[in-house]
Amino acid sequence: MKVAIIGAGIAGLTTAIALQQAGISCIIYEAAPAIKPLGAGLTLAANAMKALAKLGLVEEILSKGQLLKAFDILDEKGKIITQTNNAVFRSEYGADNFAIHRADLHQVLLSRISPDTVHLNKQILSFEQQQSKVTLHFSDGSTAEADYLLACDGIHSVVRKKVLPEATPRYAGYTCWRAVVNMPHSSQTDALETWGPAGRFGIVPVSKGRIYYFACISVSQPNSNLKNFTISDLIPCFKKYHNPIPEILNQTRNEQLIWNDIYDLKPLRRFAFGNILLLGDAAHATTPNLGQGACQAIEDAVILANLWKQNTRVEDTFAQFEKKRLARTNFVTTQSRRVGEIAQIQNPLLASLRNSVLRVLPASFQERNVKKLLDVQF
């Protein structure tokens, strides 16, 4: 049985690890000519940490990043809007919320895969699907055949574009700059988000002395000129925000900035197409507001491997995966988009009303929402 995975990102690598541990060999085809330590930080919520524990990866990952004791939302003056103590969920789910540099997570995943599993410089251009196989065509002129195709090629998935041409990325209404900077004197162990009139600013410690941050500003339409923003352009936007935001921006060099408009996918109705299956961002790309993009991809990997072991027909595995994952990933995508809309409110009166309402909500309300997010069965 030949299983092809398109994409060596978090979804593709985790899926390959889970399948290999289930006794299923696979080949990953990656478009990039080399795998480089790219990206910024990301959070792995307790649901993802539980999944990684199933794969035996937690201890190594814990050594690379930072446990997050709490998640706080502040206004631009530094006053608390909401607070979430992660210890509440640790006792129930047996896992912690965690932050790590994307490149460090990627390296851990790569280290668990045989080097001959990943084929680089294999950008998929097209494919033909037959009942018993899929033929892949790559940009270097080569082809490959597989019995089953797992599409882990992200929000701009070539595979999804063919099986669901109407499913295109949708703009969320805001753009984002990210960076990881050295802050050797920082002892921060909480994740913070500041919601203010200029936009949203998040601060997440990813290891001792290293801070990951993101700065989101509402922009009505995508604007490619924003890629030319320098740190000098970004500093004035947040100069009136509380400390340490100005200090963090002043520590940033232009080459550290990563810019992207924010997109997601409108929830799909299908993931399975005979011997082809969509996973990760190819299936359910979400805005980053709940910190669940990588988490849902990791859940996909573990659940797919578990189902694969239980069935004699792979097509049945794919159909059961679709049935099990559609409702949950659709919930995450929808909730994440709503949170982004609320967080990006710029009107001063509406923002003040939002903050006042959130401050008086009981802690149980927030805990209920987070528990629904973290509650996953493997």
Side-chain angles (χ1 to χ4, degrees):
M1 181 170 61
K2 297 180 180 179
V3 179
I5 298 174
I6 304 298
I10 292 172
L13 293 177
T14 312
T15 299
I17 293 169
L19 291 181
Q20 288 177 359
Q21 290 184 5
I24 302 156
S25 62
C26 52
I27 295 176
I28 300 175
Y29 297 101
E30 165 58 37
I35 295 180
K36 299 178 180 179
L38 302 176
L42 57 82
T43 55
L44 296 173
N47 55 313
M49 296 302 283
K50 281 179 61 178
L52 291 167
K54 298 283 186 182
L55 301 177
L57 297 173
V58 164
E59 292 304 318
E60 189 173 359
I61 287 172
L62 286 175
S63 70
K64 305 287 186 181
Q66 173 73 51
L67 292 176
L68 301 174
K69 293 185 177 180
F71 172 58
D72 303 331
I73 299 176
L74 317 176
D75 65 19
E76 71 277 12
K77 296 178 181 179
K79 296 180 180 178
I80 293 289
I81 298 175
T82 68
Q83 287 182 301
T84 304
N85 183 351
N86 292 334
V88 173
F89 310 109
R90 187 178 310 127
S91 60
E92 182 166 349
Y93 295 100
D96 290 275
N97 286 354
F98 187 75
I100 189 171
H101 196 294
R102 182 179 290 271
D104 292 337
L105 174 61
H106 208 237
Q107 193 56 48
V108 171
L109 298 177
L110 272 173
S111 71
R112 297 300 183 96
I113 293 177
S114 173
D116 59 3
T117 300
V118 182
H119 293 213
L120 299 175
N121 205 23
K122 292 294 182 180
Q123 180 182 5
I124 185 170
L125 294 181
S126 63
F127 63 91
E128 288 101 36
Q129 181 183 17
Q130 292 91 35
Q131 186 173 359
S132 60
K133 68 177 181 178
V134 182
T135 303
L136 311 174
H137 299 271
F138 302 103
S139 61
D140 63 359
S142 65
T143 62
E145 288 187 354
D147 300 304
Y148 300 98
L149 176 61
L150 305 180
C152 299
D153 50 341
I155 190 171
H156 300 293
S157 168
V158 171
V159 179
R160 190 193 64 247
K161 285 178 183 177
K162 183 166 182 178
V163 297
L164 285 176
E166 70 281 6
T168 57
R170 57 179 182 176
Y171 179 55
Y174 43 96
T175 197
C176 186
W177 291 265
R178 297 168 291 141
V180 175
V181 296
N182 293 325
M183 300 287 289
H185 303 298
S186 174
S187 58
Q188 182 178 328
T189 57
D190 296 354
L192 308 175
E193 263 193 38
T194 298
W195 296 358
R200 195 167 21 139
F201 199 98
I203 306 171
V204 184
V206 292
S207 60
K208 187 175 181 180
R210 279 201 306 176
I211 294 291
Y212 159 59
Y213 74 82
F214 57 88
C216 295
I217 295 175
S218 295
V219 180
S220 59
Q221 298 293 328
N223 182 356
S224 61
N225 290 329
L226 292 173
K227 68 181 178 183
N228 299 318
F229 250 49
T230 66
I231 195 64
S232 297
D233 298 311
L234 202 55
I235 286 173
C237 299
F238 297 95
K239 64 181 180 181
K240 294 184 179 180
Y241 279 38
H242 63 84
N243 288 323
I245 292 173
E247 179 187 0
I248 290 173
L249 288 171
N250 283 317
Q251 290 285 336
T252 308
R253 303 186 307 275
N254 286 332
E255 60 268 25
Q256 292 175 301
L257 277 181
I258 300 171
W259 167 78
N260 295 99
D261 284 326
I262 302 300
Y263 288 84
D264 69 359
L265 280 178
K266 183 179 179 181
L268 305 182
R269 295 182 180 180
R270 294 184 65 186
F271 295 159
F273 301 84
N275 54 359
I276 294 175
L277 184 67
L278 308 179
L279 298 99
D281 282 354
H284 44 72
T286 178
T287 56
N289 303 299
L290 297 179
Q292 282 288 315
C295 299
Q296 292 304 305
I298 294 167
E299 283 187 17
D300 281 353
V302 175
I303 289 171
L304 176 63
N306 288 344
L307 291 172
W308 208 309
K309 289 184 291 185
Q310 297 169 17
N311 289 291
T312 55
R313 292 183 70 253
V314 180
E315 288 80 1
D316 293 339
T317 295
F318 289 2
Q320 289 176 19
F321 175 89
E322 177 184 273
K323 184 176 180 180
K324 189 175 181 67
R325 296 297 289 159
L326 271 177
R328 175 160 171 77
T329 56
N330 288 357
F331 164 77
V332 170
T333 300
T334 301
Q335 288 299 109
S336 185
R337 193 173 181 90
R338 286 174 181 167
V339 168
E341 291 167 351
I342 293 169
Q344 290 294 136
I345 290 174
Q346 310 278 257
N347 182 287
L349 289 177
L350 291 177
S352 178
L353 177 61
R354 172 201 64 196
N355 294 353
S356 298
V357 169
L358 290 175
R359 284 183 173 119
V360 299
L361 286 175
S364 58
F365 177 84
Q366 179 73 0
E367 291 173 12
R368 206 161 45 240
N369 287 334
V370 176
K371 284 181 178 179
K372 187 173 182 180
L373 189 66
L374 301 182
D375 190 17
V376 58
Q377 301 300 318
F378 296 109

